[in-house]
Amino acid sequence: MPKISENCTYLRLFISGGMSVKRILLAEDESAAMKLFRRMLKPYSLIEATTGEEALLLFIDYDHQVDLLIADLTLPKLSGIHVALLLRSKLPDLPVILTSSTPVSDWRSRDSADLKRLGSHLVMILQKPLKAQVLSNAVCDLIGEPQSERAKTA
């Protein structure tokens, strides 16, 4: 297994005797950023969407079986925060990473209000351009260590 961070060595989770990979729903409309995410999150199972609407449809298609949402703030038609709010109506404890090239202090008032509605529980905001180690640490912090890792340290 590749070492991603000091706190999250393995990215695979063993469930019921079988191996399952953590599933991330990634909503990003910029092709260069999507390519970067693919490379940085290679050990995970990625579900890729380029619009907020597509992310919602994929969430339904995958029967709400998502471990983490990573969404760009400024997706076409439906913002990343709106996607997070809608997904959380089905999975209240779904971890969320929002990405933006704009600092939070410069967000539109509607986005700031929506962020307040989303709350801070299991939410991280990462500034673009992303650094691989920052993203890896955020993902591991939100998803947690795999059970197999915890068993080794117990």
Side-chain angles (χ1 to χ4, degrees):
M1 293 284 170
K3 187 166 184 175
I4 297 300
S5 76
E6 294 175 12
N7 296 328
C8 188
T9 306
Y10 297 105
L11 302 174
R12 302 201 183 274
L13 176 66
F14 292 90
I15 299 173
S16 304
M19 189 167 29
S20 176
V21 177
K22 297 279 187 159
R23 186 176 287 159
I24 298 173
L25 177 54
L26 173 61
E28 173 59 62
D29 63 325
E30 296 176 21
S31 60
M34 183 68 86
K35 186 176 178 180
L36 186 63
F37 276 116
R38 274 189 210 115
R39 191 170 60 244
M40 288 192 283
L41 299 170
K42 196 171 192 165
Y44 293 95
S45 173
L46 286 182
I47 306 167
E48 299 177 11
T50 56
T51 68
E53 290 173 346
E54 184 182 13
L56 296 176
L57 291 172
L58 287 168
F59 182 68
I60 293 166
D61 286 349
Y62 280 83
D63 198 29
H64 307 167
Q65 299 300 310
V66 173
D67 298 301
L68 172 67
L69 170 67
I70 300 176
D72 184 33
L73 175 69
T74 58
L75 292 170
K77 300 181 184 177
L78 193 62
S79 76
I81 297 173
H82 282 191
V83 172
L85 288 167
L86 290 167
L87 268 55
R88 281 228 173 141
S89 71
K90 298 291 182 189
L91 293 175
D93 291 325
L94 177 68
V96 175
I97 295 175
L98 296 170
T99 64
S100 176
S101 56
T102 307
V104 176
S105 59
D106 293 340
W107 285 11
R108 298 177 313 177
S109 59
R110 179 182 174 118
D111 291 331
S112 295
D114 288 341
L115 180 61
K116 197 172 199 173
R117 283 180 43 219
L118 183 61
S120 60
H121 177 65
L122 297 174
V123 175
M124 289 190 174
I125 300 168
L126 300 182
Q127 182 79 36
K128 289 180 177 180
L130 296 174
K131 294 182 179 160
Q133 192 64 45
V134 171
L135 178 63
S136 294
N137 288 342
V139 170
C140 288
D141 286 348
L142 288 172
I143 293 177
E145 285 188 73
Q147 289 177 351
S148 59
E149 259 313 280
R150 279 184 282 219
K152 289 180 185 178
T153 59

